[in-house]
Amino acid sequence: MAVDMFGRRDFLRAVGSAGLMAGVPALAEMHAIDPARVVHEIAAPGQDADAKPKYSIKFAVCGMSHDHIYGMVGAIQRGGGTLVSAYGAEPDKLAAFKKRFPDVKIVSSEDEILNDSSIQLVLSSTIPDQRAPLGVRVMKKGKDYLSDKPGATSLAQIDEIRKTIAETKRIYGILYSERFEVKAAVKAGDLIKEGAIGRVIQTINIAPHQIVQKGADPYAGGAGGRPDWFWDAARYGGILNDIGSHQVDQFLYYTGSTEAEVVASQVANVNHPQKPKFQDFGDMMLRGNKGFGYVRLDWFTPDALGTWGDGRLFILGTEGYIEVRKYIDVTRSKSGNNLYVVNKESARYIDCNNLSLPFGPQFVSDIVNRTHTAQDQTQCLLAAELVVRAQVKAQHVTLKG
């Protein structure tokens, strides 16, 4: 009980560090760590963090069923995009969008956006099973497209996307925000390119989510409850396709794999019997030509965490490893973007919150210059294909008890 009444630091002072270390071998070993090999850093923003966007484009929003649209708009605006018009089919989502962007022109149909020759890029977070058909129509109208994830819900849709890209030479982007919009994930990629952990062997991604989000952000995906389509795997694509899109994108990117297969996958509805078409747990094992991957997904984030999920990424290399705690460092800090890297030289903690995000400026540049700097088109669609295949292949498991 005496220990409970003291903070850890007070307790160490009270008993004396020498006596405690002598009595507790594990702590004595910790005490023996060479502090010169443990480094705490704050990542610098980058030389061009305050630079004005190099390019400008006009873009529109066509469908805002998921609140990821706000992050998507923000990314393109940071890159020099001007939001000129928007369309939304759900009155509540449209009202929230108008409140956030009061100066945007609201149009009454998708066609008004598709037929506007001044618009170069269309963004959409419409219902997932509608995203690919919309994107195909957008590209056929001579515009580029940026979809929320998942960017497709069937292999037939992916085939049609690839066919249309070949015919139109347009860009079909998918904003895998857990890599592109997470500063620590961006930093992890930079470290890997620098050779900080040698050659990447495996990624492990743990991606818990919260159905009714209790955070402070009113524009978070579940802050206002979930619509009917959210509970129907045929509409949202299933848990492996929906959430897992992020994680498979990261597996391909960090391992550098250009070919990959789904070794095994499974899904379950563990705790939502009242929603029989819903999947609240899933995982998959992946094998690429340059590395391995494992992904676990769920909808069981508890309220006390304080954010929508304790997303964690582990990257194993031949000469070290990286861990990214994306959204919180539980019991230590409410801040996200925490990166840990251990190799032969040191054990480092890097606070990545000051970094700038490159995706928006790079994607706008790609629109203007017809390049693929922000996102490799082939890798983008390979990730989309793999999660659909994982969903098709998945065993549907029922737990007993």
Side-chain angles (χ1 to χ4, degrees), residues 203-220:
T203 61
I204 297 176
N205 245 302
I206 299 174
H209 282 60
Q210 190 174 51
I211 291 175
V212 179
Q213 295 179 11
K214 302 296 179 66
D217 184 359
Y219 298 100

Side-chain angles (χ1 to χ4, degrees), residues 114-192:
L114 269 59
N115 292 326
D116 185 341
S117 60
S118 72
I119 293 170
Q120 298 160 269
L121 171 68
V122 175
L123 275 55
S124 183
S125 70
T126 189
I127 299 172
D129 65 341
Q130 298 175 6
R131 291 172 189 169
L134 172 61
V136 167
R137 295 196 298 275
V138 167
M139 290 190 289
K140 288 183 176 180
K141 287 290 186 176
K143 307 178 192 306
D144 296 310
Y145 183 65
L146 181 62
S147 172
D148 187 12
K149 63 80 215 169
T153 57
S154 71
L155 294 175
Q157 287 185 350
I158 294 171
D159 287 343
E160 188 64 23
I161 291 168
R162 287 177 171 145
K163 177 184 175 184
T164 307
I165 290 171
E167 292 172 351
T168 65
K169 310 303 180 186
R170 308 314 303 181
I171 295 171
Y172 191 107
I174 302 173
L175 187 54
Y176 299 118
S177 57
E178 291 194 30
R179 175 164 68 90
F180 292 122
E181 293 292 291
V182 174
K183 296 175 180 181
V186 172
K187 181 65 174 179
D190 292 341
L191 290 170
I192 289 167

Side-chain angles (χ1 to χ4, degrees), residues 50-358:
D50 297 323
K52 292 183 178 180
K54 188 175 181 180
Y55 300 101
S56 63
I57 62 169
K58 292 183 178 180
F59 74 98
V61 167
C62 195
M64 52 193 70
S65 302
H66 194 296
D67 289 345
H68 280 163
I69 196 64
Y70 296 103
M72 297 167 68
V73 169
I76 302 305
Q77 288 178 326
R78 289 195 305 272
T82 299
L83 176 61
V84 297
S85 60
Y87 167 76
E90 300 98 332
D92 58 333
K93 295 293 186 181
L94 186 59
F97 194 86
K98 289 168 65 176
K99 184 177 180 181
R100 181 75 170 264
F101 302 106
D103 297 329
V104 68
K105 177 185 176 183
I106 303 299
V107 300
S108 59
S109 70
E110 291 181 352
D111 286 342
E112 287 187 61
I113 289 173
L114 269 59
N115 292 326
D116 185 341
S117 60
S118 72
I119 293 170
Q120 298 160 269
L121 171 68
V122 175
L123 275 55
S124 183
S125 70
T126 189
I127 299 172
D129 65 341
Q130 298 175 6
R131 291 172 189 169
L134 172 61
V136 167
R137 295 196 298 275
V138 167
M139 290 190 289
K140 288 183 176 180
K141 287 290 186 176
K143 307 178 192 306
D144 296 310
Y145 183 65
L146 181 62
S147 172
D148 187 12
K149 63 80 215 169
T153 57
S154 71
L155 294 175
Q157 287 185 350
I158 294 171
D159 287 343
E160 188 64 23
I161 291 168
R162 287 177 171 145
K163 177 184 175 184
T164 307
I165 290 171
E167 292 172 351
T168 65
K169 310 303 180 186
R170 308 314 303 181
I171 295 171
Y172 191 107
I174 302 173
L175 187 54
Y176 299 118
S177 57
E178 291 194 30
R179 175 164 68 90
F180 292 122
E181 293 292 291
V182 174
K183 296 175 180 181
V186 172
K187 181 65 174 179
D190 292 341
L191 290 170
I192 289 167
K193 290 177 183 176
E194 294 167 8
I197 60 171
R199 180 168 58 90
V200 173
I201 302 168
Q202 185 201 38
T203 61
I204 297 176
N205 245 302
I206 299 174
H209 282 60
Q210 190 174 51
I211 291 175
V212 179
Q213 295 179 11
K214 302 296 179 66
D217 184 359
Y219 298 100
R226 299 289 185 174
D228 289 343
W229 62 261
F230 173 83
W231 305 101
D232 186 350
R235 303 303 312 276
Y236 71 82
I239 191 170
L240 302 179
N241 187 30
D242 178 25
I243 304 177
S245 296
H246 291 297
Q247 283 65 48
V248 173
D249 163 71
Q250 290 166 69
F251 154 71
L252 292 174
Y253 178 72
Y254 294 124
T255 65
S257 292
T258 55
E259 301 173 7
E261 63 179 319
V262 179
V263 178
S265 57
Q266 58 186 352
V267 298
N269 183 335
V270 176
N271 203 45
H272 295 84
Q274 74 281 16
K275 302 289 186 181
K277 296 180 181 180
F278 188 58
Q279 297 164 4
D280 55 23
F281 178 89
D283 65 355
M284 55 181 142
M285 185 184 300
L286 304 149
R287 183 190 301 125
N289 58 343
K290 293 188 177 181
F292 306 96
Y294 173 76
V295 175
R296 193 207 79 199
L297 315 157
D298 71 78
W299 286 99
F300 292 111
T301 293
D303 290 348
L305 182 67
T307 188
W308 57 266
D310 186 7
R312 300 175 70 180
L313 165 66
F314 302 87
I315 307 172
L316 175 65
T318 55
E319 299 176 19
Y321 63 89
I322 291 171
E323 178 185 353
V324 177
R325 298 203 71 155
K326 296 179 180 178
Y327 310 112
I328 196 168
D329 198 354
V330 64
T331 77
R332 291 169 53 88
S333 171
K334 292 183 179 180
S335 294
N337 292 303
N338 304 285
L339 187 149
Y340 303 86
V341 55
V342 183
N343 57 21
K344 295 177 181 178
E345 287 76 35
S346 64
R348 300 160 64 191
Y349 164 74
I350 306 176
D351 178 345
C352 300
N353 284 289
N354 287 340
L355 285 177
S356 53
L357 292 166

